[in-house]
Amino acid sequence: MEAFVNQLNGILWSTPVIYICLAIGLLFTILTRFLQVRHFKDMVMLMFQGKSSESGVSSFQALSIALSGRVGTGNIAGTATAIAMGGPGAVFWMWAMAFIGAATAFIESTLAQIYKEKKDGLYRGGPAFYIEKGIGIKWFAVLFAISALLAMAILMPGIQSNSIALGMENAFGINKSVTGAIIIALLALIIFGGVKRIATVAQYVVPFMAIGYILVSLVIVGMNIGELPAVFSLIFRSAFAADSVFGGLVGSAIAWGVKRGIYSNEAGQGTGAHAAAAAEVSHPAKQGLVQAFSVYIDTLFVCSATAFMILFTGMYNTVGTDGKTFLVENLPGVEAGPGYTQAAVESVLPGFGAGFVAVSLFFFAFTTIMAYYYMAETNVTYLIKGKNLKLATHILKVVLLASTFYGAVKTAGLAWALGDAGLGLMVWLNLIAILILAKPALLALKDYEAQKKQGLDPVFNSTKLGIKNAEYWEDGYKVQEEKVS
């Protein structure tokens, strides 16, 4: 079984797939005429505009839910692995992937808004919804929903809780079972409170954890400020084969930078689209732009914070193309991952590193599990309708809590492999869907820009644009009167 799953992952996450993601991002960047540059101001301003309503959350809350999923253990472990396998140049290619991925995030998030529905008084949407409504292939949509449900509710939560438990055990000697119990108790308080409680917790916790992490990195950079020119020079030289030590790693730098960039910012995976659909906005492009900015926050800010802590202190190892010989070995015996960040912080702030990384992992991974639940619940509401929905969501909560606790105390290699397979299948299905469905999102962007030029606050009407099956928007935006906060 494990051999089969590993073989499947070899296909789903093969190098050609990584470059297909890159190519799709480039295509959308060109089709949107570099919206990530042209509309940068709008991305920032729109985050703080709009309010929640009885049916939807605010733009900032939707952004926070999406960031809960994007900002996870990959921001610490993934960045360190990219440097270990691709050298400092991998950091540049992670930045490049974030820039390109912002356009992909815009397309999928705008589609989620266009084809959203109101179910039990709440907005729901995501890949399953826009696949059925936009492409018209029910089995395709059901396949995505099942893949997402398996990955988000069963296979992935344990991976995150295991990172928390290991970090707490290493830093504070807390038993994994105790950590697991605390995690599921806190998680239960949040997810049994519904979507609005998830959004409320996310809007406070996510900015707190991201800003705190970035501030510590700035302290470390500040205490090593003399290294600033050398570090940036090293990153750029290594990215373009101009460095004497890392020059031979340029292929690995690109591959690992692109791969870890995609894993971290999740652009094109369809995960962020679920949260995007929940927002109360007058035009789909507004939330598309906000979600595009979330990719910048994830990679340009949080991943860069990890990279700078590691590179400014020199606390890393990098292997050559043979995967065995060390080009740089500043941390003998330390595996690529949180240990690099821990060592970096310890070198500047002794006695602080282990605890800091453990607490960071807790916030990063815990909020990711919260986001997993929201995505899983959205796909349950797609698959199950009527009186059985309430029972199904209660079962979902119990299953997710159980998989979270199991992962905290014992995570098998097969679980990691199955999680990658579930996520990999989601990526494939979503990339195919957004390639087919890009036109409505591009029409929405054109409409948004035309109204902005007229000095208007853009309001969407799907009928006027000839977009079919977007029932919510058929008579234009009509929910202002519901706004309650």
Side-chain angles (χ1 to χ4, degrees), residues 72-83 163 213 260 306 336-339 341 361:
T73 57
N75 293 79
I76 297 176
T79 303
T81 303
I83 293 170
S163 295
Y213 190 73
R260 290 306 174 197
T306 300
T341 312
L361 279 172

Side-chain angles (χ1 to χ4, degrees), residues 39-108:
H39 291 304
F40 184 81
K41 182 181 176 182
D42 283 14
M43 289 181 191
V44 178
M45 298 298 291
L46 287 167
M47 277 196 297
F48 305 104
Q49 293 178 10
K51 298 179 180 180
S52 62
S53 71
E54 293 176 3
S55 303
V57 300
S58 69
S59 288
F60 186 76
Q61 288 175 323
L63 170 75
S64 298
I65 296 173
L67 279 172
S68 297
R70 294 191 201 279
V71 178
T73 57
N75 293 79
I76 297 176
T79 303
T81 303
I83 293 170
M85 305 303 294
V91 176
F92 171 84
W93 294 107
M94 288 182 72
W95 293 339
M97 195 61 232
F99 177 77
I100 292 166
T104 307
F106 171 83
I107 296 291
E108 64 183 0

